Amino acid sequence: MRIGMGYDVHRLVEGRKLIVGGVEIPHTLGLLGHSDADVLLHAISDALLGAAGLGDIGKHFPDTDPKYAGADSLKLLAEVGTMIQEKGYLVDNIDATIIAQKPKFRPYIEEMEENVARALEISPEQVNIKATTEEGLGFTGTEEGIAAQAVCMLSGIYESSMAVGGGCSGCSGCAGR
């Protein structure tokens, strides 16, 4: 079992769409970034990559590479899902928090959870997303930016076949029986 955490922040600016959790949210400001700047999906991607020992999204999708300009972060998250599967891990769960004064995210949370689950080919019940304000404090409270945090737990595909505690317990199909 492996645990990962991710954090991301993007500045709010005029002239950009606000995309969070793969959902375009009506707002006067959007997030500035090389890709679509989806702060939530970037935090989730970093948590997953970290848990699998694969670095971070900057390592795999650098903002210096023109091919990621305007990239859809749901597609990047799906690629992260493939990477962790290829390394032999399965997603147990994801828990994430969006930190923003405005807009209100509650109406969009279920769709965000479904988007994450679909991109990673897991059940929506394995994804929990929350949103909070910072009561007017800090850069999120003054609406200069939006932050997101995420934690995840991964299990190794072969963990259930590992002997724990030394010895055969006589399970059916076991050669030591």
Side-chain angles (χ1 to χ4, degrees), residues 5-10 16 19-22 31-49 56-58 61 68 71-74 76-77 80 116 148-150:
M5 68 87 55
Y7 174 81
D8 196 37
V9 60
H10 284 276
R16 293 268 304 194
I19 300 172
V20 180
L31 293 171
L32 179 63
H34 186 67
S35 66
D36 62 8
D38 191 324
V39 66
L40 176 63
L41 297 185
H42 295 178
I44 291 171
S45 294
D46 269 349
L48 293 166
L49 289 165
D56 62 21
I57 60 173
F61 313 110
Y68 298 116
D72 179 342
S73 293
L74 274 172
L76 301 181
L77 180 62
V80 168
V116 170
Q149 299 176 350

Side-chain angles (χ1 to χ4, degrees), residues 20 60 63 72 101 104 125 141 146:
V20 180
H60 298 281
D63 63 6
D72 179 342
Q101 196 64 35
K104 294 294 184 192
E125 287 77 31
I146 295 178

Side-chain angles (χ1 to χ4, degrees), residues 27-144:
H27 193 53
T28 58
L29 302 172
L31 293 171
L32 179 63
H34 186 67
S35 66
D36 62 8
D38 191 324
V39 66
L40 176 63
L41 297 185
H42 295 178
I44 291 171
S45 294
D46 269 349
L48 293 166
L49 289 165
L54 293 170
D56 62 21
I57 60 173
K59 175 181 176 181
H60 298 281
F61 313 110
D63 63 6
T64 55
D65 190 333
K67 80 177 180 182
Y68 298 116
D72 179 342
S73 293
L74 274 172
K75 291 180 182 176
L76 301 181
L77 180 62
E79 286 186 47
V80 168
T82 299
M83 287 180 221
I84 63 171
Q85 286 176 1
E86 288 173 352
K87 186 123 187 218
Y89 293 107
L90 302 172
V91 177
D92 288 332
N93 75 303
I94 295 167
D95 187 31
T97 304
I98 305 161
I99 305 160
Q101 196 64 35
K102 289 182 185 173
K104 294 294 184 192
F105 288 94
R106 171 88 317 256
Y108 309 101
I109 297 262
E110 187 175 322
E111 185 178 356
M112 292 177 190
E113 290 171 341
E114 290 170 1
N115 286 344
V116 170
R118 189 172 36 260
L120 294 172
E121 299 178 357
I122 60 175
S123 167
E125 287 77 31
Q126 293 171 269
V127 182
N128 187 64
I129 297 171
K130 308 170 295 292
T132 190
T133 69
E134 289 188 306
E135 304 298 326
L137 300 173
F139 71 90
T140 62
T142 58
E143 299 178 53
E144 293 175 64

